[in-house]
Amino acid sequence: MRRPLLLLLGLLLLHQSRSFEFVIDGEWEEETSDIHDHRERHKRAILTSEEQEDFEAIRGDDITVRSYKVESRITSRFAHTTVRSSVINSGAKAQSIGFNVQIPKRAFITNFTMNVNGITFVGSVKEKTVARNLYTQARARGKAAGIVRANSQDMETFKTEVHVPPGSNIEFELHYQEMMHRKLGFYEHSLYLQPGRLVPQFQVDVYLYEPKGISSFETLNTLGAQFGEMVKVTSSKDKAHVVFKPTLQQQRKCDNCTGSAIDGIFTVKYDVTRDSNAGELQVSDGHFVHFFAPSNLSPLPKNIVFVIDVSGSMWGVKMKQTVEAMKAILDDLTIDDHFSIIDFNHNVRCWSEELVPGSSIQIADAKKYIQNIKPNGGTNINEALMRAVQMLVRGSNQGLIDPRSVSMIILVSDGDPTVGEIKLSTIQKNVKRVMREEFSLFSLGIGFDVDYDFLERIANENRGMAQRIYANHDAAEQLRTFYSQVSSPLLRRITVQFPEDSVSEVTQNRFDKYFSGSELVVAGKVLPSESNTLTSFTTASAARLDITLETESDTAELDMELAKQQHSFTGFARQLWAYLSIKQLLSERSLAPTAVKKRKITQRIMSLAVEHQFVTPLTALLVESEDTKERLLADTPKDPKHGCCGGGGLGGGSASSSLAPVRVVYQPPPWVQMTTPAPPSQVEKGPEAWAVPQQVNLVDNDPHFIVHLPSSNMDICFNIDSKPGHILNLVSDSGSGVAVNGQLISSKQVHKSKLNTYFGVLSVYYQPEGVSVTVSTDAIAMADGRNNHTFTWGATAEITQDGVRISIVKNSQVTITVNDNIQVMVLLHRVWKKHPTNVDFLGLYLPNDNQYSSLVHGLIGQFSREPDVSVYNVHEGADPLKKEATMDVKGNKLQVTRGWQKDYRQDKRRGSNVYCWFVHNSGKGFIDGHYTNYIVPDLDSFLPQML
């Protein structure tokens, strides 16, 4: 988390001339020791008084604010915000006028310009040492200054103050950029609107552009109900524009009031359209950004040890709020989760020495335990964390922990250690030494008398994250909100990879966990290539299944689209990559094991920040006049109160222990070759893709059954004229435990006196493991009785679980393989949405060499035992193009017609002709029994043994 910034640039005009004098009050970031004495802790506590300071965007007496305008351009989750104000000193004497802007802590200031009576000051970001030298030179002539203070929990404040004579005109302009972090299923962009006075020209514009589309959008404000109808929103599928432009009269607190009623937060809240679980890959300006936020997956079971500080300093509101939050958190646990509670002061106690299931009885007992806690004594963090890790290790060794579950420690503390091991660096090493790779540590620091730097370091180093909890009336809600962000882990061990030599300088691409409602973001540079497509491959583990997902992007398409957008942020990909790189490097820098490593990371951060013009803890914004004779310095010195400016945060789940990007040698899975063969120069050729054999049994179109008889090299076809909604059994093999069923849908209306029917849903059920795969025209769902996972047709993917493998080829086909010996391929047929008659439907293809048991049956399964068929007496029929004949099969003499049906595997639009002998009357005489005997009650049904 980035430490707060409060910048004061002082300009004191002497004798109303162009000579400026500046005063410095602040500290540069220095290397600090690991031992934090009581003076530092006291300093952290004292600084909280700054938070109570009243805020006004424009400060000063007898001044006229002509305009105050805020504009944000958000493109693909990256925002560039500009705040402009024009002010006149309308008083009779010289005075100081302040320009204050509250910005999100995760944002980076990118520029500040100011015009004072015709003197223009332009900002540029430089390495801190370079800026200091230039600043010092100017100061020697009485020219420059800067100061840092603190502000509120989510925002920091940029402050500029200029001393000007009466009648002076001042124009301020501040720019900052930030990446939107997805939390609980939404992105939020907040603007603090507190002008402090009436403004004749007051306007807020937010322009949003999301290439894939906007799925939900709303504006939130705390400005008051009277402003609700003044917010105008214009939106389309992929764009939105919000404008808030109250008149001078509308800004007044009352009809005759001189004070402004605008005082609050204006927030845009939205989410984007996602057409697949594979994520969204965007390429622009030579950079790529991969957004990964899958849904429709069942949560992984959790093992949680809550470690709660109950030292004396927690007495009162802090403990009351913690208990309130813990009650709600415990209610969220399920019977599949395991948990325990450790509370500590100078001693360490365990509610339960072992992890226990989240049953109603255990939860009720845990609530009673925390309700009776009475805070007192010192703080033994080291021993408490050691006990928590031991509890997880013991549970794992005893087999209590599901190997696919997520194990985490959640530490809640409000102070530094005072008992036992108190050296923070030693505690950090101790925790790192005992933590297993599959465990994560989350740190919540309550209030300000806590070393947040330390909490952040131990969390980042152990695959977790940290967050400050502000000790006020809504602390319980802050705790609950944090927990809700980590309470539904959906995936583990996520890796995003790219073909070798296609990308470079990739940001963190390995993640330990993905939590529901969040988002993982990977960015990098795109290397020159003859191909106009970039492909990414994401692998992950979910509940009982492993997933490989593929997505691709045209490398030129987005830039062409951005050029058409009047208000888009065209440089978003380049800046987002730099933003993410710097945030991750800052976090990595805080964990650097050696001074040499730390210096190397520092140089990289400074280089990126200067190139991309970001004010960071290691760079400064030098603001100087056009003739460079007057200079101001904007800096972010180390703030002991708020800890390091690391960029981890929640924004996409916890990181792996190694934050550095990995070199990827791409070895494609076999099914990839079906749609995305890579050039030999880029990729080593992988195993050959499974191709559907030429000899197959299939059901496609209306639905037309084609059965291939290998021995006689003959194809027999028939239709089933059943009703929409009926479920037909296609394969029923109780011996191997596999059932394949299809549900019929109808066309939109009768065509040529016939209501056509098609398969709208096809299901493969594997009984031994209780796994069912249901394929519809909308999605592919996998369920095992406890977990449900859904994948769209929008991405190529491979999913494996308990002997069942699903291979999806984007918007084309899906192959389900059971135990490597039974394969079912489902083909997707899309039609024009507005077609008056046709609907989307599915085709089914089954290889002849599927290894069923001797018990197999079903409309298609029965023909794995090839019947004796003879066709004779071939003669001209009523239709000269269709010969007729007699067929002997199963003791029946059938009149059959020579015709053709379609195999759509190679050409989904026109199909390939398959010539066959057509059996009339829904296959009567060729299939066992009557077709109605094959109607089953549900998609997981096997046929009764009567057939």
Side-chain angles (χ1 to χ4, degrees):
M1 180 179 292
R2 189 179 177 201
R3 80 172 48 84
L5 162 70
L6 173 57
L7 173 67
L8 175 64
L9 302 178
L11 284 173
L12 302 179
L13 187 65
L14 298 182
H15 308 298
Q16 299 185 9
S17 71
R18 292 191 177 182
S19 175
F20 295 91
E21 180 180 344
F22 302 88
V23 180
I24 291 182
D25 181 9
E27 296 178 343
W28 296 95
E29 184 184 38
E30 303 291 350
E31 302 297 333
T32 56
S33 69
D34 290 317
I35 301 175
H36 296 259
D37 59 23
H38 291 291
R39 285 178 298 175
E40 284 297 317
R41 295 171 191 160
H42 178 68
K43 187 175 182 180
R44 287 199 298 272
I46 293 299
L47 282 171
T48 60
S49 63
E50 292 291 350
E51 290 191 328
Q52 309 305 319
E53 182 180 18
D54 291 334
F55 181 89
E56 288 183 354
I58 307 295
R59 286 183 173 274
D61 300 321
D62 295 323
I63 65 171
T64 301
V65 181
R66 293 188 298 185
S67 68
Y68 192 87
K69 297 184 178 181
V70 182
E71 178 183 284
S72 286
R73 298 189 179 196
I74 307 172
T75 298
S76 295
R77 291 80 140 176
F78 199 74
H80 183 118
T81 302
T82 305
V83 183
R84 300 181 180 92
S85 184
S86 179
V87 182
I88 299 173
N89 179 5
S90 51
K93 58 183 181 179
Q95 63 169 320
S96 293
I97 295 176
F99 172 67
N100 309 331
V101 179
Q102 292 199 57
I103 69 174
K105 286 179 180 173
R106 62 173 178 253
F108 284 140
I109 290 172
T110 57
N111 206 349
F112 172 70
T113 61
M114 182 170 65
N115 187 294
V116 183
N117 292 330
I119 303 176
T120 300
F121 291 82
V122 180
S124 62
V125 176
K126 301 182 183 299
E127 291 185 16
K128 185 169 285 190
T129 52
V130 173
R132 283 184 75 181
N133 290 335
L134 291 169
Y135 165 77
T136 302
Q137 293 169 20
R139 179 170 169 256
R141 302 190 300 272
K143 301 291 183 188
I147 182 175
V148 170
R149 290 183 296 180
N151 192 45
S152 65
Q153 72 185 58
D154 294 319
M155 311 295 285
E156 60 193 23
T157 305
F158 174 95
K159 290 194 176 185
T160 307
E161 193 167 291
V162 56
H163 194 87
V164 295
S168 294
N169 290 277
I170 312 101
E171 293 181 354
F172 302 100
E173 183 173 309
L174 179 72
H175 298 256
Y176 62 88
Q177 295 177 359
E178 60 178 317
M179 185 179 80
M180 303 290 98
H181 288 271
R182 189 168 185 258
K183 294 183 179 181
L184 302 177
F186 294 97
Y187 308 94
E188 287 191 0
H189 179 62
S190 295
L191 301 170
Y192 275 61
L193 305 179
Q194 297 166 297
R197 62 198 66 230
L198 300 174
V199 182
Q201 298 178 44
F202 185 96
Q203 183 166 341
V204 177
D205 288 281
V206 178
Y207 298 96
L208 174 63
Y209 174 60
E210 287 290 346
K212 282 288 187 180
I214 301 167
S215 63
S216 65
F217 185 87
E218 62 179 312
T219 57
L220 312 172
N221 76 77
T222 59
L223 305 175
Q226 72 270 34
F227 294 112
E229 294 185 0
M230 296 178 200
V231 178
K232 305 300 180 185
V233 179
T234 306
S235 62
S236 63
K237 172 180 163 291
D238 55 6
K239 291 188 288 291
H241 176 212
V242 182
V243 60
F244 176 54
K245 191 178 179 181
T247 64
L248 199 65
Q249 184 62 31
Q250 289 170 332
Q251 294 173 42
R252 298 180 189 275
K253 289 183 177 179
C254 62
D255 288 345
N256 299 316
C257 292
T258 58
S260 174
I262 299 177
D263 184 359
I265 306 171
F266 185 86
T267 300
V268 169
K269 182 178 180 180
Y270 75 98
D271 199 15
V272 302
T273 303
R274 294 176 177 84
D275 59 7
S276 83
N277 274 344
E280 182 180 346
L281 182 60
Q282 298 182 9
V283 180
S284 175
D285 194 22
H287 293 73
F288 76 85
V289 186
H290 180 92
F291 300 102
F292 185 63
S295 57
N296 298 318
L297 300 170
S298 290
L300 295 158
K302 305 182 294 293
N303 314 295
I304 307 180
V305 181
F306 298 98
V307 181
I308 303 173
D309 185 345
V310 295
S311 59
S313 58
M314 286 287 288
W315 181 268
V317 174
K318 290 180 184 177
M319 197 68 233
K320 181 180 179 182
Q321 297 279 331
T322 301
V323 170
E324 182 184 334
M326 281 298 301
K327 287 180 177 179
I329 289 169
L330 290 170
D331 280 334
D332 185 69
L333 296 173
T334 70
I335 192 66
D336 292 327
D337 298 324
H338 287 75
F339 78 104
S340 187
I341 299 170
I342 293 175
D343 59 299
F344 69 97
N345 44 29
H346 48 284
N347 295 317
V348 176
R349 292 169 297 276
C350 299
W351 163 69
S352 169
E353 293 289 344
E354 308 290 340
L355 292 170
V356 300
S359 67
S360 56
I361 294 174
Q362 299 286 13
I363 289 170
D365 189 63
K367 285 182 179 180
K368 188 182 301 182
Y369 178 82
I370 61 170
Q371 184 69 55
N372 293 326
I373 291 174
K374 298 292 186 287
N376 66 84
T379 307
N380 191 347
I381 291 178
N382 186 75
E383 180 61 25
L385 290 176
M386 293 300 103
R387 292 279 288 277
V389 177
Q390 289 166 11
M391 192 177 292
L392 289 176
V393 170
R394 193 162 57 247
S396 181
N397 292 342
Q398 294 174 353
L400 297 175
I401 291 179
D402 184 332
R404 282 185 174 268
S405 63
V406 169
S407 298
M408 58 181 84
I409 297 167
I410 297 181
L411 168 67
V412 181
S413 179
D414 78 330
D416 293 337
T418 60
V419 178
E421 179 57 66
I422 62 172
K423 189 175 180 181
L424 300 183
S425 61
T426 302
I427 297 174
Q428 184 179 340
K429 290 175 184 175
N430 289 344
V431 174
K432 175 68 175 174
R433 176 173 47 82
V434 299
M435 283 284 279
R436 288 190 178 179
E437 191 69 24
E438 64 268 28
F439 301 162
S440 295
L441 171 63
F442 299 89
S443 305
L444 301 176
I446 298 185
F448 289 88
D449 194 23
V450 60
D451 193 304
Y452 188 74
D453 247 350
F454 163 68
L455 293 181
E456 191 169 51
R457 283 197 305 273
I458 62 170
N460 287 343
E461 196 170 38
N462 294 285
R463 296 158 297 283
M465 60 198 82
Q467 184 162 311
R468 185 182 291 282
I469 302 298
Y470 292 80
N472 53 30
H473 62 91
D474 72 340
E477 182 59 30
Q478 293 175 57
L479 283 164
R480 287 196 297 269
T481 298
F482 176 87
Y483 176 76
S484 65
Q485 293 174 65
V486 300
S487 63
S488 293
L490 301 185
L491 295 172
R492 299 172 62 239
R493 298 177 182 171
I494 306 101
T495 303
V496 181
Q497 297 177 316
F498 301 85
E500 188 181 16
D501 298 329
S502 66
V503 297
S504 67
E505 298 187 55
V506 179
T507 60
Q508 177 190 335
N509 64 346
R510 290 183 172 181
F511 304 88
D512 190 63
K513 298 174 186 66
Y514 165 73
F515 296 99
S516 177
S518 67
E519 185 170 61
L520 304 181
V521 183
V522 179
K525 294 182 177 180
V526 179
L527 295 175
S529 170
E530 294 180 2
S531 171
N532 61 353
T533 301
L534 178 66
T535 305
S536 70
F537 299 89
T538 304
T539 58
S541 295
R544 290 182 64 189
L545 56 84
D546 295 315
I547 302 169
T548 301
L549 303 161
E550 174 191 342
T551 189
E552 60 185 21
S553 175
D554 187 292
T555 55
E557 187 176 42
L558 182 55
D559 280 335
M560 290 188 292
E561 192 59 38
L562 287 171
K564 302 174 187 176
Q565 307 297 328
Q566 183 179 357
H567 298 288
S568 66
F569 178 20
T570 54
F572 85 92
R574 180 176 182 271
Q575 290 299 95
L576 193 155
W577 167 77
Y579 175 98
L580 206 55
S581 297
I582 291 170
K583 291 285 187 179
Q584 292 174 1
L585 285 166
L586 285 166
S587 180
E588 191 175 340
R589 180 177 182 267
S590 70
L591 301 175
T594 65
V596 172
K597 177 73 171 174
K598 188 169 187 176
R599 280 195 297 271
K600 187 176 180 181
I601 297 171
T602 299
Q603 287 300 319
R604 177 64 177 148
I605 293 171
M606 289 193 296
S607 175
L608 280 171
V610 170
E611 181 183 353
H612 295 267
Q613 292 292 285
F614 287 142
V615 178
T616 72
L618 304 173
T619 53
L621 181 68
L622 189 71
V623 187
E624 54 189 352
S625 60
E626 293 172 336
D627 60 7
T628 70
K629 290 183 178 179
E630 283 90 28
R631 289 179 176 139
L632 302 85
L633 188 71
D635 175 36
T636 58
K638 183 177 176 66
D639 180 357
K641 173 185 167 189
H642 281 263
C644 175
C645 297
L650 273 173
S654 52
S656 66
S657 57
S658 173
L659 298 182
V662 297
R663 174 176 171 81
V664 176
V665 177
Y666 163 55
Q667 181 71 19
W671 45 267
V672 171
Q673 296 293 329
M674 299 175 75
T675 54
T676 57
S681 60
Q682 287 189 339
V683 177
E684 295 179 24
K685 186 174 174 63
E688 288 299 325
W690 172 72
V692 180
Q694 289 304 307
Q695 298 181 348
V696 297
N697 300 309
L698 66 94
V699 192
D700 216 325
N701 216 315
D702 180 28
H704 302 303
F705 287 69
I706 304 177
V707 175
H708 181 76
L709 304 179
S711 297
S712 54
N713 194 26
M714 185 185 302
D715 290 298
I716 313 296
C717 48
F718 58 92
N719 293 346
I720 296 292
D721 295 320
S722 194
K723 296 180 180 179
H726 280 177
I727 299 173
L728 300 178
N729 176 260
L730 306 171
V731 176
S732 178
D733 187 3
S734 56
S736 63
V738 174
V740 181
N741 296 297
Q743 186 168 32
L744 295 172
I745 58 172
S746 69
S747 56
K748 295 175 183 176
Q749 59 186 12
V750 173
H751 180 63
K752 294 182 179 180
S753 302
K754 184 178 185 297
L755 184 66
N756 290 340
T757 56
Y758 310 89
F759 279 127
V761 180
L762 288 164
S763 172
V764 177
Y765 178 53
Y766 183 42
Q767 189 179 44
E769 298 293 344
V771 175
S772 65
V773 180
T774 305
V775 182
S776 71
T777 56
D778 295 324
I780 300 96
M782 189 176 200
D784 59 17
R786 297 176 65 181
N787 303 297
N788 296 283
H789 309 282
T790 303
F791 301 87
T792 71
W793 284 98
T796 296
E798 181 160 294
I799 305 103
T800 59
Q801 175 181 335
D802 300 328
V804 178
R805 182 172 75 251
I806 305 172
S807 298
I808 304 168
V809 178
K810 180 179 179 180
N811 293 324
S812 178
Q813 63 201 47
V814 57
T815 301
I816 301 106
T817 306
V818 179
N819 281 340
D820 292 325
N821 57 23
I822 296 176
Q823 292 176 326
V824 179
M825 186 177 114
V826 179
L827 207 63
L828 174 66
H829 293 275
R830 292 273 193 224
V831 301
W832 178 44
K833 292 294 182 186
K834 296 181 180 180
H835 195 287
T837 303
N838 296 346
V839 293
D840 293 349
F841 65 95
L842 303 172
L844 180 81
Y845 295 77
L846 299 167
N848 273 93
D849 58 1
N850 272 349
Q851 298 173 30
Y852 303 115
S853 78
S854 60
L855 300 176
V856 66
H857 211 281
L859 281 168
I860 292 179
Q862 62 187 287
F863 298 106
S864 66
R865 296 180 298 274
E866 185 175 338
D868 291 329
V869 176
S870 64
V871 177
Y872 57 94
N873 190 25
V874 179
H875 59 276
E876 295 292 334
D879 184 341
L881 298 178
K882 295 181 179 179
K883 293 186 180 297
E884 295 181 353
T886 301
M887 176 186 290
D888 277 352
V889 58
K890 299 180 180 179
N892 301 313
K893 291 187 184 297
L894 309 176
Q895 296 305 306
V896 294
T897 303
R898 181 71 165 169
W900 53 266
Q901 298 293 358
K902 294 285 190 179
D903 179 338
Y904 291 94
R905 286 174 295 164
Q906 303 302 321
D907 184 342
K908 281 206 301 179
R909 187 170 183 180
R910 291 179 293 271
S912 304
N913 289 338
V914 177
Y915 289 92
C916 58
W917 286 106
F918 184 78
V919 179
H920 303 273
N921 301 318
S922 294
K924 185 177 180 181
F926 180 63
I927 63 173
D928 292 339
H930 193 267
Y931 83 87
T932 55
N933 298 137
Y934 297 87
I935 297 174
V936 292
D938 56 63
L939 288 167
D940 291 345
S941 295
F942 288 82
L943 274 182
Q945 295 299 314
M946 66 183 69
L947 285 174

